[in-house]
Amino acid sequence: MQVKIPFGDEPIAVELPNDVDILSMSAPAAIADPEKAIGEALQNPLGTESFDALIAHKCEERNSPSAVIVISDNTRPVPYTGATGILWPLVERLVAGGVAGADITVLVATGMHRGLTEAELKRMIDPRVHAAGVEFVNHNGKDAESLSYLGTTARGSEVYINRLYVESDIKILTGLVESHFMAGASGGRKSICPGLIGEESTKIFHGAEMMADLNSTDLKLSGNPCHEESFEVASKAGADFIINVTLDHSFNLTGVFAGELKTAHEAAVNHLKSYTAVEYSGEYDIVVTHAGFVGINHYQAAKSGTVAARIIKPGGHVLMVANNSDTDPVGSLEYRTALQLLTLNGPEAVDRIFKSPDWTFIPEQWQVQMWNRLFNKIPLNHFHYYSPQFGAAEYSLSPGEPLADLAGVTDSTTLIELIPRLIANGVERLRKELGEGARIAFLKDGPYGIPL
């Protein structure tokens, strides 16, 4: 049978044996009139007054108030332009309500990721927003001068938040709600934590103990320590209004949730759960998957690894393809450092190292712990990875082996021809090794559909 794998601008058709189980999310209904839905959500928000009323009250309290709109970086397909765009309606209403364009800042919630370039911002943002004269700023969690200290959480996290955000009169969060392998779901409070926190604030929030907690997982909010810590940090910083969306496979709008931070976000998560959970029965010998839109580098591809870990048999094999199109296809220097430890020493040793009192915490080590959820079930060399942006150096740095080695493909060709050969040959070879009774699954949605 033929399936399609999202890869770059166009999906790639791949043939799989007829007895492969296709594990897929259900298809949520797309909103017929996105612009109308966005307008209605702003006018009738959840748990708070309308967006226009909020602006009016802020302008009454202070002449020429400042406003900050927090956006996600390019690892999330948040609609910030076109008919489904949620950014221009906010800017348009702010200006109409009396907030000058020069007093509006669009703040990119980079967390510990790199800042977006001017070209990237032009591609992802509605040109009307640029024309309105707003300022664009990348959060920098390593710049101590740009942060404000807001105390500590109950768990002891030192809360450092972007100063520009803290000091703005009107604080607005935007984002996409999808499953998240640590915090349960993205969006809401995550725009602030980790989106706007300082490096110091990651030491508990993304520390070894919290990442090892199995309640820090997809589609779980209640009892999830990562979600609870994120919400406590966000509550200290405050938010006047949020607008979050949900999307389908084709990035069509399926829900708009605006209003108070907790109320609107929880409504979005409940909607997400209704179609994101994927039923399955029993574990599989072979799992074929992809890194999805989010997998712009190996760091982000970990999200697909944790989903595959849910259904793979101990000792099984995982085949993953990823379009690592970021400026560095692996990730930051800190991530590379932690990843090399995994590749050289294995998952058990890395878990001990990260939990040792003698180990100095480094940012992004948490993502290596997420990879360990897979490698605690399968040997490193049972993970078969392909990225067109990887060369010999990147493969040697990363755990697993090149999918091309398994598939026996050495000649270069176009991606539309190569990827089907890599997967078909890899599955065929493993089936010969494991026997015809080997159970095989294809995770159609990569990191987004969550097997339960």
Side-chain angles (χ1 to χ4, degrees), residues 23 280 282-284 287 307-313 377 441 443 451:
L23 303 186
Y280 79 101
E283 294 177 322
Y284 292 87
V287 173
V307 173
R310 289 172 170 261
I311 62 171
I312 192 69
K313 282 183 180 178
K377 292 188 74 176
L443 288 167

Side-chain angles (χ1 to χ4, degrees), residues 155-173:
R155 287 185 173 87
S157 292
E158 299 283 330
V159 181
Y160 290 90
I161 301 292
N162 184 283
R163 183 182 301 279
L164 189 155
Y165 179 82
V166 171
E167 294 179 352
S168 290
D169 301 311
I170 306 173
K171 301 178 177 69
I172 306 159
L173 307 178

Side-chain angles (χ1 to χ4, degrees), residues 178-386:
E178 58 188 3
S179 59
H180 191 274
F181 65 156
M182 298 174 190
S186 62
R189 72 285 183 240
K190 281 190 88 265
S191 292
I192 298 174
C193 179
L196 301 179
I197 61 177
E199 186 173 274
E200 183 69 23
S201 300
T202 65
K203 292 185 176 178
I204 291 178
F205 172 64
H206 275 342
E209 294 299 329
M210 192 173 291
M211 293 299 96
D213 193 318
L214 295 181
N215 285 318
S216 298
T217 191
D218 290 283
L219 296 185
K220 183 177 178 61
L221 296 186
S222 179
N224 181 329
C226 189
H227 161 70
E228 292 168 352
E229 190 74 354
S230 177
F231 183 76
E232 185 177 354
V233 170
S235 298
K236 285 182 176 294
D240 294 303
F241 200 89
I242 79 166
I243 178 166
N244 281 183
V245 300
T246 53
L247 303 174
D248 66 11
H249 301 294
S250 302
F251 307 124
N252 296 310
L253 214 59
T254 62
V256 186
F257 305 87
E260 189 269 333
L261 173 62
K262 185 173 186 290
T263 307
H265 182 250
E266 287 183 351
V269 173
N270 288 334
H271 177 64
L272 177 75
K273 286 181 180 179
S274 69
Y275 62 86
T276 306
V278 177
E279 288 189 15
Y280 79 101
S281 177
E283 294 177 322
Y284 292 87
D285 300 281
I286 303 168
V287 173
V288 179
T289 188
H290 60 87
F293 177 91
V294 74
I296 64 170
N297 50 29
H298 190 274
Y299 172 91
Q300 294 289 354
K303 295 173 180 177
S304 284
T306 62
V307 173
R310 289 172 170 261
I311 62 171
I312 192 69
K313 282 183 180 178
H317 291 258
V318 173
L319 285 63
M320 183 187 298
V321 296
N323 186 29
N324 298 146
S325 58
D326 201 15
T327 51
D328 189 323
V330 178
S332 70
L333 176 61
E334 292 90 346
Y335 176 67
R336 285 169 167 264
T337 300
L339 190 66
Q340 185 77 92
L341 288 174
L342 172 60
T343 302
L344 294 175
N345 298 286
E348 292 182 4
V350 164
D351 281 338
R352 288 196 305 271
I353 290 168
F354 288 172
K355 291 179 181 178
S356 168
D358 298 323
W359 170 252
T360 300
F361 175 90
I362 60 173
E364 301 193 346
Q365 68 176 46
W366 51 78
Q367 209 80 333
V368 173
Q369 282 190 275
M370 293 296 102
W371 276 116
N372 270 3
R373 294 191 180 182
L374 177 61
F375 295 124
N376 283 330
K377 292 188 74 176
I378 68 172
L380 295 182
N381 64 351
H382 283 202
F383 178 61
H384 313 278
Y385 191 74
Y386 171 73

